[in-house]
Amino acid sequence: PMKLQNKFNNFQLSVVILRNYSEEEVSELFLRHQDGTPLKAAEKRRALPGNMPKIIIELEKLKIFDEGDKVLGFPNKHSAYADLIAKCMMDLINNEISPISVPRIRKLFKENEDIDEKSIYFTKTKQNFNFLYDCFKQNVMSLFKLVVTLGCIF
């Protein structure tokens, strides 16, 4: 329809070109800019500086998340799997069932920004999720969130 086409053609789109910025600076700028939009916490954490977002993305490649909806019983809507991984890693790093909050998880990312794939926390998280996959790949786990939240495996 012409009315919709006119509206589309008259829409002003702001574009910012960043030159001579590091990847971390661009990520930080994105994060600050997005604080005013309705992105979920896990989506915002992808823009945090350091290695933790990359580690989470790497862990999302595990089979349990690849077949997530079937195995876990819930979809990866709004980076739900990244959120689950971050919360499990927080419990593992703190060696306790930790209170979950956005500031605490952001703090975790900041304090572990140098984490890499050689880290014991990366290895243990990967082993734990692979173990869960091997045990429950044939069953939809309606209690999965509860088990992980209670720290029964981690």
Side-chain angles (χ1 to χ4, degrees):
M2 185 58 79
K3 186 176 179 181
L4 185 60
Q5 185 177 6
N6 286 336
K7 186 175 181 179
F8 180 81
N9 287 335
N10 290 325
F11 185 81
Q12 290 189 358
L13 180 65
S14 299
V15 177
V16 177
I17 298 172
L18 301 174
R19 293 189 174 103
N20 301 318
Y21 283 84
S22 71
E23 185 179 329
E24 287 190 22
E25 290 170 321
V26 171
S27 293
E28 180 63 28
L29 182 61
F30 171 80
L31 181 67
R32 284 185 292 156
H33 179 68
Q34 294 303 325
D35 274 343
T37 65
L39 291 177
K40 299 292 184 194
E43 295 168 317
K44 290 179 186 179
R45 285 195 297 268
R46 287 191 185 277
L48 290 174
N51 289 338
M52 189 63 103
K54 294 173 186 119
I55 289 297
I56 300 292
I57 289 168
E58 191 61 32
L59 289 167
E60 281 183 286
K61 295 175 184 175
L62 296 174
K63 286 183 184 178
I64 195 166
F65 301 111
D66 189 43
E67 300 177 23
D69 205 4
K70 181 181 110 187
V71 177
L72 300 175
F74 62 96
N76 192 24
K77 188 173 181 183
H78 299 293
S79 299
Y81 300 158
D83 198 44
L84 176 64
I85 294 166
K87 290 172 180 177
C88 290
M89 286 191 80
M90 187 165 77
D91 285 353
L92 190 63
I93 290 169
N94 292 335
N95 199 30
E96 66 181 8
I97 300 170
S98 307
I100 303 294
S101 68
V102 172
R104 286 181 60 92
I105 295 178
R106 265 200 187 177
K107 182 179 176 196
L108 172 83
F109 274 56
K110 184 164 181 63
E111 290 174 350
N112 294 279
E113 61 185 19
D114 294 330
I115 194 170
D116 61 26
E117 291 180 20
K118 295 176 186 168
S119 161
I120 188 71
Y121 303 119
F122 174 83
T123 304
K124 289 276 191 189
T125 302
K126 185 176 178 178
Q127 288 172 343
N128 290 339
F129 280 118
N130 284 335
F131 173 77
L132 288 171
Y133 176 78
D134 290 340
C135 291
F136 298 103
K137 61 186 168 193
Q138 301 302 322
N139 304 320
V140 173
M141 298 169 39
S142 60
L143 295 177
F144 183 78
K145 287 183 181 180
L146 178 62
V147 170
V148 172
T149 301
L150 294 177
C152 296
I153 302 295
F154 294 86

